[in-house]
Amino acid sequence: QVQLVESGGGSVQAGGSLRLSCAASGRTFSNYVMAWFRQAPGKEREFVAAISGSGGRINYTNSVKGRFTISRDNAKNTVVLQMNSLKPEDTAVYYCAANVRSWDVGPGSRYDYWGQGTQVTVSS
């Protein structure tokens, strides 16, 4: 089992920034595709970003391109989502996810493990 723990959520005003971190327990973390998803109240879960095991391939949903950056530190078993220029529509619970069986960084990739989520609230 892979344990994922998110941190860094909080409340900010529009235009502000937050840095979300996800710590993974897996000893083969460098082989995992890691991703961030989010779910706002009353809405379906939405893909945000993903990064391949080596960091060589990255994918973002269009609504966050130019504002969010996903990165990873395999030596620390950590993936980070730096969120800048936040908008009220970014308000959601953000989830870290791991794909341990595929190299696919697309939004439809299979994610085997999920964190508990961290709340991000962006006010007008």
mmCIF file of all heavy atoms in Angstrom, residues 17-68:
data_model
loop_
_atom_site.group_PDB
_atom_site.id
_atom_site.type_symbol
_atom_site.label_atom_id
_atom_site.label_comp_id
_atom_site.label_asym_id
_atom_site.label_seq_id
_atom_site.Cartn_x
_atom_site.Cartn_y
_atom_site.Cartn_z
ATOM 1 N N SER A 17 -1.286 32.973 -3.489
ATOM 2 C CA SER A 17 -0.603 31.729 -3.812
ATOM 3 C C SER A 17 -0.676 30.746 -2.664
ATOM 4 O O SER A 17 -0.757 31.134 -1.491
ATOM 5 C CB SER A 17 0.874 31.992 -4.129
ATOM 6 O OG SER A 17 1.030 32.814 -5.271
ATOM 7 N N LEU A 18 -0.634 29.480 -3.006
ATOM 8 C CA LEU A 18 -0.514 28.403 -2.042
ATOM 9 C C LEU A 18 0.395 27.339 -2.624
ATOM 10 O O LEU A 18 0.459 27.164 -3.843
ATOM 11 C CB LEU A 18 -1.866 27.770 -1.710
ATOM 12 C CG LEU A 18 -2.811 28.530 -0.797
ATOM 13 C CD1 LEU A 18 -4.162 27.816 -0.758
ATOM 14 C CD2 LEU A 18 -2.240 28.650 0.611
ATOM 15 N N ARG A 19 1.074 26.631 -1.755
ATOM 16 C CA ARG A 19 1.929 25.520 -2.152
ATOM 17 C C ARG A 19 1.417 24.262 -1.471
ATOM 18 O O ARG A 19 1.434 24.167 -0.245
ATOM 19 C CB ARG A 19 3.375 25.796 -1.747
ATOM 20 C CG ARG A 19 4.345 24.639 -1.964
ATOM 21 C CD ARG A 19 5.714 25.007 -1.422
ATOM 22 N NE ARG A 19 6.562 23.858 -1.196
ATOM 23 C CZ ARG A 19 7.560 23.487 -1.989
ATOM 24 N NH1 ARG A 19 7.825 24.181 -3.082
ATOM 25 N NH2 ARG A 19 8.291 22.425 -1.689
ATOM 26 N N LEU A 20 0.951 23.316 -2.255
ATOM 27 C CA LEU A 20 0.487 22.043 -1.745
ATOM 28 C C LEU A 20 1.599 21.010 -1.865
ATOM 29 O O LEU A 20 2.296 20.955 -2.877
ATOM 30 C CB LEU A 20 -0.736 21.552 -2.513
ATOM 31 C CG LEU A 20 -1.937 22.492 -2.608
ATOM 32 C CD1 LEU A 20 -3.081 21.789 -3.329
ATOM 33 C CD2 LEU A 20 -2.373 22.957 -1.230
ATOM 34 N N SER A 21 1.739 20.207 -0.839
ATOM 35 C CA SER A 21 2.729 19.140 -0.847
ATOM 36 C C SER A 21 2.046 17.805 -0.606
ATOM 37 O O SER A 21 1.033 17.729 0.086
ATOM 38 C CB SER A 21 3.791 19.369 0.232
ATOM 39 O OG SER A 21 4.555 20.525 -0.031
ATOM 40 N N CYS A 22 2.608 16.768 -1.172
ATOM 41 C CA CYS A 22 2.122 15.414 -0.977
ATOM 42 C C CYS A 22 3.312 14.530 -0.663
ATOM 43 O O CYS A 22 4.239 14.427 -1.477
ATOM 44 C CB CYS A 22 1.394 14.918 -2.226
ATOM 45 S SG CYS A 22 0.872 13.196 -2.160
ATOM 46 N N ALA A 23 3.285 13.913 0.491
ATOM 47 C CA ALA A 23 4.343 13.003 0.907
ATOM 48 C C ALA A 23 3.865 11.571 0.723
ATOM 49 O O ALA A 23 2.785 11.207 1.185
ATOM 50 C CB ALA A 23 4.718 13.262 2.358
ATOM 51 N N ALA A 24 4.673 10.761 0.058
ATOM 52 C CA ALA A 24 4.327 9.380 -0.237
ATOM 53 C C ALA A 24 5.216 8.428 0.534
ATOM 54 O O ALA A 24 6.403 8.695 0.745
ATOM 55 C CB ALA A 24 4.456 9.108 -1.732
ATOM 56 N N SER A 25 4.637 7.297 0.916
ATOM 57 C CA SER A 25 5.384 6.309 1.690
ATOM 58 C C SER A 25 6.089 5.274 0.828
ATOM 59 O O SER A 25 6.964 4.571 1.306
ATOM 60 C CB SER A 25 4.445 5.592 2.663
ATOM 61 O OG SER A 25 3.465 4.832 1.964
ATOM 62 N N GLY A 26 5.717 5.136 -0.430
ATOM 63 C CA GLY A 26 6.255 4.086 -1.282
ATOM 64 C C GLY A 26 7.756 4.175 -1.483
ATOM 65 O O GLY A 26 8.303 5.259 -1.718
ATOM 66 N N ARG A 27 8.407 3.032 -1.432
ATOM 67 C CA ARG A 27 9.860 2.994 -1.628
ATOM 68 C C ARG A 27 10.257 3.025 -3.090
ATOM 69 O O ARG A 27 11.435 3.177 -3.398
ATOM 70 C CB ARG A 27 10.441 1.761 -0.939
ATOM 71 C CG ARG A 27 10.386 1.832 0.569
ATOM 72 C CD ARG A 27 11.160 0.707 1.218
ATOM 73 N NE ARG A 27 11.213 0.867 2.654
ATOM 74 C CZ ARG A 27 12.115 1.592 3.299
ATOM 75 N NH1 ARG A 27 13.063 2.222 2.623
ATOM 76 N NH2 ARG A 27 12.081 1.684 4.616
ATOM 77 N N THR A 28 9.287 2.872 -3.983
ATOM 78 C CA THR A 28 9.533 2.990 -5.409
ATOM 79 C C THR A 28 8.856 4.230 -5.968
ATOM 80 O O THR A 28 8.361 4.232 -7.092
ATOM 81 C CB THR A 28 9.059 1.724 -6.155
ATOM 82 O OG1 THR A 28 7.682 1.473 -5.868
ATOM 83 C CG2 THR A 28 9.889 0.521 -5.743
ATOM 84 N N PHE A 29 8.861 5.292 -5.203
ATOM 85 C CA PHE A 29 8.188 6.530 -5.564
ATOM 86 C C PHE A 29 8.620 7.039 -6.935
ATOM 87 O O PHE A 29 7.805 7.578 -7.690
ATOM 88 C CB PHE A 29 8.457 7.590 -4.500
ATOM 89 C CG PHE A 29 7.853 8.931 -4.797
ATOM 90 C CD1 PHE A 29 6.508 9.162 -4.606
ATOM 91 C CD2 PHE A 29 8.646 9.974 -5.263
ATOM 92 C CE1 PHE A 29 5.945 10.404 -4.867
ATOM 93 C CE2 PHE A 29 8.100 11.217 -5.521
ATOM 94 C CZ PHE A 29 6.743 11.429 -5.321
ATOM 95 N N SER A 30 9.887 6.876 -7.268
ATOM 96 C CA SER A 30 10.390 7.394 -8.533
ATOM 97 C C SER A 30 9.756 6.722 -9.740
ATOM 98 O O SER A 30 9.876 7.236 -10.856
ATOM 99 C CB SER A 30 11.911 7.258 -8.600
ATOM 100 O OG SER A 30 12.304 5.897 -8.545
ATOM 101 N N ASN A 31 9.093 5.600 -9.551
ATOM 102 C CA ASN A 31 8.401 4.908 -10.630
ATOM 103 C C ASN A 31 6.951 5.350 -10.787
ATOM 104 O O ASN A 31 6.294 4.952 -11.750
ATOM 105 C CB ASN A 31 8.418 3.391 -10.405
ATOM 106 C CG ASN A 31 9.813 2.813 -10.387
ATOM 107 O OD1 ASN A 31 10.189 2.103 -9.453
ATOM 108 N ND2 ASN A 31 10.587 3.110 -11.408
ATOM 109 N N TYR A 32 6.445 6.140 -9.861
ATOM 110 C CA TYR A 32 5.029 6.487 -9.862
ATOM 111 C C TYR A 32 4.761 7.739 -10.661
ATOM 112 O O TYR A 32 5.480 8.731 -10.541
ATOM 113 C CB TYR A 32 4.514 6.746 -8.446
ATOM 114 C CG TYR A 32 4.759 5.680 -7.416
ATOM 115 C CD1 TYR A 32 4.688 6.007 -6.063
ATOM 116 C CD2 TYR A 32 5.037 4.372 -7.762
ATOM 117 C CE1 TYR A 32 4.898 5.049 -5.094
ATOM 118 C CE2 TYR A 32 5.256 3.408 -6.797
ATOM 119 C CZ TYR A 32 5.184 3.755 -5.460
ATOM 120 O OH TYR A 32 5.397 2.808 -4.493
ATOM 121 N N VAL A 33 3.702 7.704 -11.469
ATOM 122 C CA VAL A 33 3.114 8.940 -11.964
ATOM 123 C C VAL A 33 2.328 9.555 -10.810
ATOM 124 O O VAL A 33 1.519 8.880 -10.174
ATOM 125 C CB VAL A 33 2.197 8.691 -13.165
ATOM 126 C CG1 VAL A 33 1.414 9.943 -13.520
ATOM 127 C CG2 VAL A 33 3.014 8.226 -14.363
ATOM 128 N N MET A 34 2.577 10.814 -10.538
ATOM 129 C CA MET A 34 1.881 11.513 -9.467
ATOM 130 C C MET A 34 1.002 12.602 -10.059
ATOM 131 O O MET A 34 1.367 13.234 -11.050
ATOM 132 C CB MET A 34 2.875 12.121 -8.482
ATOM 133 C CG MET A 34 3.777 11.110 -7.801
ATOM 134 S SD MET A 34 2.858 9.921 -6.774
ATOM 135 C CE MET A 34 2.115 11.029 -5.564
ATOM 136 N N ALA A 35 -0.133 12.824 -9.439
ATOM 137 C CA ALA A 35 -1.080 13.787 -9.973
ATOM 138 C C ALA A 35 -1.816 14.511 -8.862
ATOM 139 O O ALA A 35 -1.853 14.060 -7.715
ATOM 140 C CB ALA A 35 -2.094 13.094 -10.889
ATOM 141 N N TRP A 36 -2.392 15.633 -9.229
ATOM 142 C CA TRP A 36 -3.297 16.372 -8.370
ATOM 143 C C TRP A 36 -4.658 16.463 -9.040
ATOM 144 O O TRP A 36 -4.755 16.756 -10.238
ATOM 145 C CB TRP A 36 -2.790 17.790 -8.091
ATOM 146 C CG TRP A 36 -1.583 17.831 -7.217
ATOM 147 C CD1 TRP A 36 -0.284 17.874 -7.603
ATOM 148 C CD2 TRP A 36 -1.571 17.840 -5.789
ATOM 149 N NE1 TRP A 36 0.540 17.907 -6.520
ATOM 150 C CE2 TRP A 36 -0.218 17.887 -5.386
ATOM 151 C CE3 TRP A 36 -2.566 17.821 -4.810
ATOM 152 C CZ2 TRP A 36 0.158 17.911 -4.045
ATOM 153 C CZ3 TRP A 36 -2.191 17.838 -3.479
ATOM 154 C CH2 TRP A 36 -0.843 17.889 -3.115
ATOM 155 N N PHE A 37 -5.686 16.208 -8.265
ATOM 156 C CA PHE A 37 -7.068 16.383 -8.670
ATOM 157 C C PHE A 37 -7.731 17.332 -7.683
ATOM 158 O O PHE A 37 -7.205 17.576 -6.594
ATOM 159 C CB PHE A 37 -7.825 15.048 -8.674
ATOM 160 C CG PHE A 37 -7.412 14.097 -9.756
ATOM 161 C CD1 PHE A 37 -6.236 13.374 -9.668
ATOM 162 C CD2 PHE A 37 -8.217 13.911 -10.871
ATOM 163 C CE1 PHE A 37 -5.860 12.479 -10.659
ATOM 164 C CE2 PHE A 37 -7.857 13.019 -11.873
ATOM 165 C CZ PHE A 37 -6.682 12.313 -11.767
ATOM 166 N N ARG A 38 -8.885 17.839 -8.059
ATOM 167 C CA ARG A 38 -9.639 18.670 -7.134
ATOM 168 C C ARG A 38 -11.130 18.431 -7.321
ATOM 169 O O ARG A 38 -11.587 18.024 -8.381
ATOM 170 C CB ARG A 38 -9.311 20.156 -7.322
ATOM 171 C CG ARG A 38 -9.718 20.729 -8.674
ATOM 172 C CD ARG A 38 -9.171 22.136 -8.830
ATOM 173 N NE ARG A 38 -9.558 22.729 -10.096
ATOM 174 C CZ ARG A 38 -9.128 23.896 -10.541
ATOM 175 N NH1 ARG A 38 -8.276 24.613 -9.797
ATOM 176 N NH2 ARG A 38 -9.532 24.353 -11.720
ATOM 177 N N GLN A 39 -11.868 18.689 -6.263
ATOM 178 C CA GLN A 39 -13.311 18.541 -6.311
ATOM 179 C C GLN A 39 -13.958 19.672 -5.519
ATOM 180 O O GLN A 39 -13.726 19.805 -4.319
ATOM 181 C CB GLN A 39 -13.750 17.194 -5.754
ATOM 182 C CG GLN A 39 -15.232 16.925 -5.940
ATOM 183 C CD GLN A 39 -15.597 15.481 -5.676
ATOM 184 O OE1 GLN A 39 -14.894 14.766 -4.970
ATOM 185 N NE2 GLN A 39 -16.708 15.048 -6.248
ATOM 186 N N ALA A 40 -14.746 20.460 -6.217
ATOM 187 C CA ALA A 40 -15.496 21.539 -5.590
ATOM 188 C C ALA A 40 -16.870 21.030 -5.185
ATOM 189 O O ALA A 40 -17.378 20.069 -5.767
ATOM 190 C CB ALA A 40 -15.625 22.716 -6.552
ATOM 191 N N PRO A 41 -17.496 21.672 -4.203
ATOM 192 C CA PRO A 41 -18.830 21.236 -3.785
ATOM 193 C C PRO A 41 -19.810 21.218 -4.948
ATOM 194 O O PRO A 41 -19.901 22.179 -5.713
ATOM 195 C CB PRO A 41 -19.231 22.285 -2.742
ATOM 196 C CG PRO A 41 -17.929 22.780 -2.204
ATOM 197 C CD PRO A 41 -17.001 22.786 -3.384
ATOM 198 N N GLY A 42 -20.518 20.117 -5.091
ATOM 199 C CA GLY A 42 -21.503 19.992 -6.143
ATOM 200 C C GLY A 42 -20.948 19.724 -7.524
ATOM 201 O O GLY A 42 -21.713 19.677 -8.493
ATOM 202 N N LYS A 43 -19.644 19.543 -7.642
ATOM 203 C CA LYS A 43 -19.023 19.295 -8.938
ATOM 204 C C LYS A 43 -18.278 17.972 -8.932
ATOM 205 O O LYS A 43 -17.938 17.432 -7.884
ATOM 206 C CB LYS A 43 -18.063 20.429 -9.301
ATOM 207 C CG LYS A 43 -18.728 21.780 -9.495
ATOM 208 C CD LYS A 43 -17.729 22.821 -9.965
ATOM 209 C CE LYS A 43 -18.400 24.153 -10.209
ATOM 210 N NZ LYS A 43 -17.420 25.171 -10.672
ATOM 211 N N GLU A 44 -18.028 17.465 -10.129
ATOM 212 C CA GLU A 44 -17.274 16.233 -10.268
ATOM 213 C C GLU A 44 -15.795 16.480 -10.019
ATOM 214 O O GLU A 44 -15.295 17.601 -10.168
ATOM 215 C CB GLU A 44 -17.473 15.645 -11.665
ATOM 216 C CG GLU A 44 -18.890 15.206 -11.952
ATOM 217 C CD GLU A 44 -19.038 14.578 -13.320
ATOM 218 O OE1 GLU A 44 -18.075 14.621 -14.109
ATOM 219 O OE2 GLU A 44 -20.117 14.035 -13.595
ATOM 220 N N ARG A 45 -15.098 15.424 -9.651
ATOM 221 C CA ARG A 45 -13.664 15.516 -9.472
ATOM 222 C C ARG A 45 -12.990 15.889 -10.785
ATOM 223 O O ARG A 45 -13.328 15.351 -11.846
ATOM 224 C CB ARG A 45 -13.119 14.184 -8.961
ATOM 225 C CG ARG A 45 -11.646 14.208 -8.593
ATOM 226 C CD ARG A 45 -11.231 12.871 -8.031
ATOM 227 N NE ARG A 45 -11.401 11.809 -8.999
ATOM 228 C CZ ARG A 45 -11.332 10.523 -8.708
ATOM 229 N NH1 ARG A 45 -11.104 10.132 -7.462
ATOM 230 N NH2 ARG A 45 -11.497 9.614 -9.660
ATOM 231 N N GLU A 46 -12.026 16.788 -10.722
ATOM 232 C CA GLU A 46 -11.388 17.342 -11.902
ATOM 233 C C GLU A 46 -9.884 17.107 -11.854
ATOM 234 O O GLU A 46 -9.236 17.362 -10.836
ATOM 235 C CB GLU A 46 -11.671 18.845 -11.992
ATOM 236 C CG GLU A 46 -10.979 19.563 -13.128
ATOM 237 C CD GLU A 46 -11.121 21.066 -13.052
ATOM 238 O OE1 GLU A 46 -11.334 21.594 -11.935
ATOM 239 O OE2 GLU A 46 -11.035 21.723 -14.100
ATOM 240 N N PHE A 47 -9.325 16.664 -12.956
ATOM 241 C CA PHE A 47 -7.885 16.541 -13.091
ATOM 242 C C PHE A 47 -7.238 17.916 -13.106
ATOM 243 O O PHE A 47 -7.732 18.832 -13.768
ATOM 244 C CB PHE A 47 -7.559 15.800 -14.386
ATOM 245 C CG PHE A 47 -6.102 15.777 -14.740
ATOM 246 C CD1 PHE A 47 -5.254 14.839 -14.181
ATOM 247 C CD2 PHE A 47 -5.579 16.689 -15.646
ATOM 248 C CE1 PHE A 47 -3.915 14.803 -14.515
ATOM 249 C CE2 PHE A 47 -4.240 16.661 -15.992
ATOM 250 C CZ PHE A 47 -3.407 15.713 -15.416
ATOM 251 N N VAL A 48 -6.128 18.059 -12.403
ATOM 252 C CA VAL A 48 -5.414 19.328 -12.358
ATOM 253 C C VAL A 48 -4.064 19.222 -13.055
ATOM 254 O O VAL A 48 -3.764 19.984 -13.973
ATOM 255 C CB VAL A 48 -5.217 19.815 -10.910
ATOM 256 C CG1 VAL A 48 -4.397 21.104 -10.885
ATOM 257 C CG2 VAL A 48 -6.568 20.019 -10.237
ATOM 258 N N ALA A 49 -3.233 18.287 -12.628
ATOM 259 C CA ALA A 49 -1.887 18.161 -13.176
ATOM 260 C C ALA A 49 -1.324 16.795 -12.856
ATOM 261 O O ALA A 49 -1.725 16.152 -11.881
ATOM 262 C CB ALA A 49 -0.972 19.250 -12.610
ATOM 263 N N ALA A 50 -0.374 16.346 -13.673
ATOM 264 C CA ALA A 50 0.312 15.085 -13.422
ATOM 265 C C ALA A 50 1.757 15.197 -13.866
ATOM 266 O O ALA A 50 2.090 16.003 -14.738
ATOM 267 C CB ALA A 50 -0.377 13.930 -14.149
ATOM 268 N N ILE A 51 2.600 14.365 -13.276
ATOM 269 C CA ILE A 51 4.016 14.374 -13.591
ATOM 270 C C ILE A 51 4.532 12.943 -13.600
ATOM 271 O O ILE A 51 4.192 12.136 -12.732
ATOM 272 C CB ILE A 51 4.788 15.263 -12.582
ATOM 273 C CG1 ILE A 51 6.267 15.370 -12.962
ATOM 274 C CG2 ILE A 51 4.611 14.754 -11.151
ATOM 275 C CD1 ILE A 51 7.000 16.454 -12.175
ATOM 276 N N SER A 52 5.350 12.615 -14.585
ATOM 277 C CA SER A 52 5.887 11.274 -14.705
ATOM 278 C C SER A 52 6.933 11.016 -13.627
ATOM 279 O O SER A 52 7.389 11.926 -12.929
ATOM 280 C CB SER A 52 6.501 11.068 -16.091
ATOM 281 O OG SER A 52 7.596 11.945 -16.294
ATOM 282 N N GLY A 53 7.319 9.755 -13.496
ATOM 283 C CA GLY A 53 8.256 9.371 -12.451
ATOM 284 C C GLY A 53 9.567 10.124 -12.482
ATOM 285 O O GLY A 53 10.100 10.512 -11.440
ATOM 286 N N SER A 54 10.085 10.351 -13.676
ATOM 287 C CA SER A 54 11.343 11.068 -13.824
ATOM 288 C C SER A 54 11.166 12.574 -13.828
ATOM 289 O O SER A 54 12.151 13.311 -13.750
ATOM 290 C CB SER A 54 12.033 10.649 -15.122
ATOM 291 O OG SER A 54 11.297 11.091 -16.243
ATOM 292 N N GLY A 55 9.928 13.032 -13.935
ATOM 293 C CA GLY A 55 9.663 14.447 -14.088
ATOM 294 C C GLY A 55 9.736 14.927 -15.521
ATOM 295 O O GLY A 55 9.546 16.116 -15.778
ATOM 296 N N GLY A 56 9.991 14.022 -16.447
ATOM 297 C CA GLY A 56 10.178 14.401 -17.834
ATOM 298 C C GLY A 56 8.911 14.750 -18.583
ATOM 299 O O GLY A 56 8.974 15.440 -19.604
ATOM 300 N N ARG A 57 7.790 14.264 -18.123
ATOM 301 C CA ARG A 57 6.512 14.578 -18.757
ATOM 302 C C ARG A 57 5.566 15.160 -17.737
ATOM 303 O O ARG A 57 5.417 14.616 -16.638
ATOM 304 C CB ARG A 57 5.896 13.344 -19.398
ATOM 305 C CG ARG A 57 6.516 12.986 -20.738
ATOM 306 C CD ARG A 57 5.653 11.997 -21.489
ATOM 307 N NE ARG A 57 6.064 11.881 -22.878
ATOM 308 C CZ ARG A 57 5.586 12.635 -23.866
ATOM 309 N NH1 ARG A 57 4.667 13.559 -23.616
ATOM 310 N NH2 ARG A 57 6.026 12.472 -25.101
ATOM 311 N N ILE A 58 4.930 16.253 -18.102
ATOM 312 C CA ILE A 58 4.006 16.970 -17.238
ATOM 313 C C ILE A 58 2.764 17.308 -18.029
ATOM 314 O O ILE A 58 2.834 17.632 -19.219
ATOM 315 C CB ILE A 58 4.666 18.242 -16.673
ATOM 316 C CG1 ILE A 58 5.790 17.877 -15.698
ATOM 317 C CG2 ILE A 58 3.638 19.144 -16.005
ATOM 318 C CD1 ILE A 58 6.595 19.059 -15.211
ATOM 319 N N ASN A 59 1.636 17.250 -17.381
ATOM 320 C CA ASN A 59 0.369 17.571 -18.016
ATOM 321 C C ASN A 59 -0.461 18.440 -17.081
ATOM 322 O O ASN A 59 -0.537 18.155 -15.888
ATOM 323 C CB ASN A 59 -0.388 16.288 -18.355
ATOM 324 C CG ASN A 59 -1.557 16.509 -19.283
ATOM 325 O OD1 ASN A 59 -1.645 17.531 -19.966
ATOM 326 N ND2 ASN A 59 -2.471 15.545 -19.324
ATOM 327 N N TYR A 60 -1.068 19.497 -17.619
ATOM 328 C CA TYR A 60 -1.940 20.374 -16.861
ATOM 329 C C TYR A 60 -3.287 20.500 -17.553
ATOM 330 O O TYR A 60 -3.364 20.489 -18.787
ATOM 331 C CB TYR A 60 -1.377 21.793 -16.764
ATOM 332 C CG TYR A 60 -0.061 21.937 -16.055
ATOM 333 C CD1 TYR A 60 1.123 22.070 -16.766
ATOM 334 C CD2 TYR A 60 -0.006 21.972 -14.664
ATOM 335 C CE1 TYR A 60 2.334 22.228 -16.116
ATOM 336 C CE2 TYR A 60 1.201 22.127 -14.010
ATOM 337 C CZ TYR A 60 2.370 22.260 -14.739
ATOM 338 O OH TYR A 60 3.573 22.418 -14.090
ATOM 339 N N THR A 61 -4.317 20.652 -16.764
ATOM 340 C CA THR A 61 -5.587 21.023 -17.347
ATOM 341 C C THR A 61 -5.504 22.487 -17.782
ATOM 342 O O THR A 61 -4.763 23.286 -17.207
ATOM 343 C CB THR A 61 -6.740 20.804 -16.342
ATOM 344 O OG1 THR A 61 -7.993 20.916 -17.010
ATOM 345 C CG2 THR A 61 -6.693 21.805 -15.208
ATOM 346 N N ASN A 62 -6.249 22.840 -18.815
ATOM 347 C CA ASN A 62 -6.119 24.169 -19.416
ATOM 348 C C ASN A 62 -6.374 25.306 -18.431
ATOM 349 O O ASN A 62 -5.736 26.362 -18.517
ATOM 350 C CB ASN A 62 -7.069 24.310 -20.602
ATOM 351 C CG ASN A 62 -6.604 23.557 -21.819
ATOM 352 O OD1 ASN A 62 -5.419 23.260 -21.969
ATOM 353 N ND2 ASN A 62 -7.525 23.239 -22.709
ATOM 354 N N SER A 63 -7.271 25.114 -17.507
ATOM 355 C CA SER A 63 -7.654 26.194 -16.614
ATOM 356 C C SER A 63 -6.548 26.612 -15.643
ATOM 357 O O SER A 63 -6.630 27.689 -15.051
ATOM 358 C CB SER A 63 -8.910 25.816 -15.825
ATOM 359 O OG SER A 63 -8.670 24.706 -14.987
ATOM 360 N N VAL A 64 -5.512 25.787 -15.484
ATOM 361 C CA VAL A 64 -4.443 26.127 -14.554
ATOM 362 C C VAL A 64 -3.113 26.392 -15.248
ATOM 363 O O VAL A 64 -2.145 26.779 -14.575
ATOM 364 C CB VAL A 64 -4.253 25.044 -13.471
ATOM 365 C CG1 VAL A 64 -5.579 24.730 -12.803
ATOM 366 C CG2 VAL A 64 -3.616 23.782 -14.050
ATOM 367 N N LYS A 65 -3.041 26.218 -16.545
ATOM 368 C CA LYS A 65 -1.796 26.446 -17.270
ATOM 369 C C LYS A 65 -1.337 27.891 -17.095
ATOM 370 O O LYS A 65 -2.122 28.820 -17.219
ATOM 371 C CB LYS A 65 -1.971 26.131 -18.752
ATOM 372 C CG LYS A 65 -2.078 24.659 -19.056
ATOM 373 C CD LYS A 65 -2.230 24.411 -20.554
ATOM 374 C CE LYS A 65 -2.309 22.926 -20.853
ATOM 375 N NZ LYS A 65 -2.516 22.667 -22.304
ATOM 376 N N GLY A 66 -0.068 28.041 -16.803
ATOM 377 C CA GLY A 66 0.491 29.359 -16.584
ATOM 378 C C GLY A 66 0.344 29.857 -15.168
ATOM 379 O O GLY A 66 0.949 30.883 -14.809
ATOM 380 N N ARG A 67 -0.434 29.172 -14.357
ATOM 381 C CA ARG A 67 -0.641 29.577 -12.969
ATOM 382 C C ARG A 67 -0.125 28.542 -11.972
ATOM 383 O O ARG A 67 0.394 28.907 -10.922
ATOM 384 C CB ARG A 67 -2.130 29.831 -12.696
ATOM 385 C CG ARG A 67 -2.730 30.922 -13.567
ATOM 386 C CD ARG A 67 -4.131 31.287 -13.099
ATOM 387 N NE ARG A 67 -5.047 30.148 -13.196
ATOM 388 C CZ ARG A 67 -5.701 29.627 -12.163
ATOM 389 N NH1 ARG A 67 -5.551 30.147 -10.944
ATOM 390 N NH2 ARG A 67 -6.525 28.607 -12.333
ATOM 391 N N PHE A 68 -0.304 27.269 -12.293
ATOM 392 C CA PHE A 68 0.102 26.193 -11.394
ATOM 393 C C PHE A 68 1.338 25.496 -11.947
ATOM 394 O O PHE A 68 1.515 25.383 -13.169
ATOM 395 C CB PHE A 68 -0.999 25.145 -11.256
ATOM 396 C CG PHE A 68 -2.242 25.597 -10.529
ATOM 397 C CD1 PHE A 68 -2.463 26.917 -10.193
ATOM 398 C CD2 PHE A 68 -3.198 24.654 -10.183
ATOM 399 C CE1 PHE A 68 -3.612 27.312 -9.530
ATOM 400 C CE2 PHE A 68 -4.352 25.032 -9.517
ATOM 401 C CZ PHE A 68 -4.562 26.359 -9.190
#
